[in-house]
Amino acid sequence: MAIDSLRRCIEAEVLPRVRDNWNRAFSSELAHELLQIVHPYGIGAGWLPEDGGGMGLSYMTSGLLYKELSRLAPDVAGMAYVSEGAAMKIYRHGTEEQKARFLPGFAKGRLLGCGAVTEPGTGSNVRQLRTRAVKEGAGWRLSGEKIFISNATVADVLTVLAKTGEKEFTIFLLDRSEHDFQSREIEKLGLNGWSFGSLVFQDLYVDDAFRLGGVGSALSEVMAGFERARVWVALIATGIAQAALENSVAYARERDQFGVPIASHQLVQRHLADMAAETEAANLLTLKALAKLDQGGRADMPSSLAKFYASEAAVRVASRAVQVHGAYGVTREFPVERHLRNARMLTIPDGTTEINQLIVGRELTGISAFLGAAGANKQAAS
Ligand SMILES: Cc1cc2nc3c(=O)[nH]c(=O)nc-3n(C[C@H](O)[C@H](O)[C@H](O)COP(=O)(O)OP(=O)(O)OC[C@H]3O[C@@H](n4cnc5c(N)ncnc54)[C@H](O)[C@@H]3O)c2cc1C
C-alpha cells in the first residue's frame, strides 16, 4: 500500500514538475518543493529514528520505497538519500544542541543535506584528502575544495570531512545560511536533475559548536556510512534497470517489423530475457543487503556486492533497452537513452566498481589488494 501511494504521488505530483527538467539540475526551490512532496511517503527522513523526529522505517521498507521512486524519478531518489545520510550523521554523532537545531528541519522535509568528502586530488583513497581545519580560539579555520558533491548547490546543511592532524579526520557541519563558502554546479552525463558540484572554503571560521563528533575520529564513521550509501546506489540502479526493462517489453510488443511485433523475434526475446535476469539478480542482491543492514553489524560484503553488480547490470540492461528500441532508442523522444545515461553515473559514487570488487575480494580472501602488487609484497614481508 505504501509503495502504491508513493507511486500515485510521483505520477501526479513529481513527474509533471520534473519532466521538462531532466537535463538540468533542479533549482534549490524545486529541489525543496520535490522533497516536501515525497517526504510524507517516507522519503527524506524515513531512516531517522522516531526519537530524532523521523519515521523510524526499517532499511528494507525504506529501500522498497526508494526503488519505486528510482524507477520513475531517480534524480529525486539520489537527492533524497544523500540528504538522509547527512541527517543520520547528525542523529548518530551530533550534540543535543546540534540535534535540536537541525533534526526537526530534516524530519519535516524542509532541510536538504549533503556529505562532502571527495576533492580534486582525492577520490577512491579518502585518506589522501587535503581540506584542512586548523584550531583557532574557540573554533577552526577550514580551507580546501570539494568536488563531485551531490546536492552541493541545494543543500542547507553540509557535512564536510577535513583533516585536523596528520592522520586525523574530523567532520564539520556547515549551515548555508550562516557560513560563507562558494558552491558551483557541474554539468554531467546523466541524473542531471540531481545537483552535483564543487565547494570552496577559504579560511572559513567554523565555531567548535559545528564540529560533528569527536576530533580526529571521523574516518571510521564516514566509512561506515558508505555501507548504507552503497545499498542505496544499488537500489537506484535496480529501479533504472526495471524501468528500462518495462519500456523495452512494451515497445517490443508494439513495434512491428517483418509483419510481426519485434517481440516475436527470438533474438529480441533473448535481449528481454537477459535484461530480466540481470534486473532480478540486482534486485535480490540489493534486498539481501537491505536485510543485512536491518540486522545491524558490518555489511561490507553484501553492500559492495549489491553496489557493483547492480550498477554495472543497470548499464548493460539500459544499453540493451536502447538496442531493442533501434534508432528511436538513441533519441530524446524515448526514455531509454536517459536510462542509459543515468545508469552510467552509478558505477562511480560511493566506491567505484573496482573499489567495491576489491572489498569483496578482501572479504573472500582476507588479503587487501588496494595497493596493488606493491601492497601485497609489503603485506607478505610483514
Ligand atoms: C553521481 C555521483 C555522485 C557523487 N556524490 C558524492 C558525494 O555526495 N560526496 C562525495 O564526497 N563524493 C561524491 N562523488 C564522488 C565519488 O565518491 C568519487 O568520484 C569516487 O570516490 C571515485 O573517485 P574519483 O572520481 O576521483 O576516481 P579515482 O579514485 O581517481 O579513480 C579513477 C579510476 O581508477 C580506479 N582505481 C582507483 N584506485 C584503484 C585501486 N586501488 N585499484 C583499482 N582501481 C582503482 C577507479 O576504480 C576508477 O576507475 C559522487 C560521484 C558521482 C559520479
Side-chain angles (χ1 to χ4, degrees):
M1 276 170 66
I3 292 172
D4 212 47
S5 309
L6 174 65
R7 180 188 312 129
R8 278 187 271 117
C9 159
I10 299 166
E11 284 170 352
E13 303 288 336
V14 175
L15 294 183
R17 287 174 169 80
V18 299
R19 236 181 227 126
D20 298 329
N21 220 314
W22 287 133
N23 288 314
R24 61 177 186 276
F26 304 144
S27 64
S28 177
E29 195 185 11
L30 178 59
H32 284 84
E33 189 184 347
L34 292 168
L35 183 68
Q36 278 285 303
I37 291 169
V38 290
H39 171 263
Y41 299 86
I43 304 288
W47 305 340
L48 260 189
E50 282 167 308
D51 63 354
M55 290 192 179
L57 299 181
S58 67
Y59 286 120
M60 182 64 80
T61 303
S62 170
L64 295 175
L65 293 167
Y66 266 94
K67 194 175 68 181
E68 186 62 11
L69 178 59
S70 305
R71 189 173 73 80
L72 296 164
D75 311 50
V76 181
M79 174 186 90
Y81 97 85
V82 167
S83 186
E84 289 206 36
M88 279 299 275
K89 275 197 203 106
I90 298 172
Y91 175 79
R92 292 232 165 102
H93 309 295
T95 61
E96 289 311 313
E97 291 72 27
Q98 289 167 344
K99 289 182 190 177
R101 173 168 175 163
F102 295 113
L103 288 185
F106 281 107
K108 292 194 176 82
R110 278 194 282 102
L111 291 181
L112 272 168
C114 78
V117 175
T118 308
E119 300 181 357
T122 307
S124 300
N125 184 10
V126 175
R127 286 184 176 77
Q128 222 168 289
L129 64 81
R130 294 234 172 110
T131 295
R132 286 207 160 263
V134 177
K135 194 87 184 70
E136 185 181 300
W140 302 79
R141 283 273 166 209
L142 182 68
S143 311
E145 184 176 351
K146 298 287 180 183
I147 197 165
F148 311 138
I149 308 304
S150 302
N151 296 351
T153 60
V154 300
D156 308 284
V157 183
L158 298 86
T159 62
V160 177
L161 186 66
K163 263 193 163 173
T164 45
E166 205 34 55
K167 290 187 177 169
E168 289 190 354
F169 298 83
T170 304
I171 301 175
F172 293 91
L173 274 172
L174 300 186
D175 181 336
R176 193 183 289 272
S177 65
E178 182 163 337
H179 295 107
D180 188 21
F181 57 86
Q182 294 159 34
S183 62
R184 179 178 70 85
E185 197 62 35
I186 299 173
E187 285 190 21
K188 57 190 185 317
L189 175 71
L191 294 171
N192 293 313
W194 179 8
S195 158
F196 175 85
S198 64
L199 303 163
V200 178
F201 317 109
Q202 283 172 328
D203 284 332
L204 173 65
Y205 182 76
V206 184
D207 193 278
D208 196 51
F210 287 89
R211 171 172 49 81
L212 185 63
V215 176
S217 61
L219 201 55
S220 58
E221 291 156 15
V222 169
M223 291 302 182
F226 278 135
E227 282 183 11
R228 188 183 50 227
R230 283 174 184 141
V231 183
W232 253 257
V233 176
L235 282 163
I236 298 175
T238 307
I240 292 171
Q242 183 66 40
L245 173 63
E246 287 169 11
N247 293 149
S248 300
V249 170
Y251 184 81
R253 291 163 72 112
E254 264 169 31
R255 174 77 171 166
D256 210 85
Q257 288 297 294
F258 297 93
V260 289
I262 59 167
S264 313
H265 301 304
Q266 291 177 342
L267 293 180
V268 172
Q269 287 207 1
R270 191 187 69 178
H271 277 309
L272 298 177
D274 283 341
M275 290 163 74
E278 294 215 72
T279 304
E280 190 58 14
N283 189 35
L284 293 174
L285 282 172
T286 308
L287 293 178
K288 189 169 176 188
L290 284 168
K292 181 67 194 155
L293 287 181
D294 276 329
Q295 279 165 21
R298 295 301 302 249
D300 299 273
M301 180 77 162
S303 66
S304 288
L305 266 180
K307 200 281 170 174
F308 90 73
Y309 183 83
S311 57
E312 293 287 346
V315 175
R316 292 190 295 268
V317 169
S319 180
R320 280 183 190 266
V322 170
Q323 193 65 16
V324 169
H325 282 71
Y328 290 106
V330 295
T331 68
R332 295 263 158 110
E333 320 272 308
F334 281 76
V336 288
E337 66 83 32
R338 182 163 47 82
H339 298 326
L340 180 56
R341 288 187 292 108
N342 288 345
R344 197 63 198 79
M345 297 300 295
L346 298 175
T347 62
I348 296 167
D350 293 306
T352 60
T353 295
E354 293 77 11
I355 293 300
N356 281 293
Q357 287 171 331
L358 289 173
I359 293 171
V360 172
R362 186 189 60 199
E363 295 295 305
L364 290 171
T365 64
I367 298 171
S368 169
F370 279 85
L371 302 177
N377 290 342
K378 233 196 229 167
Q379 269 185 0
S382 64

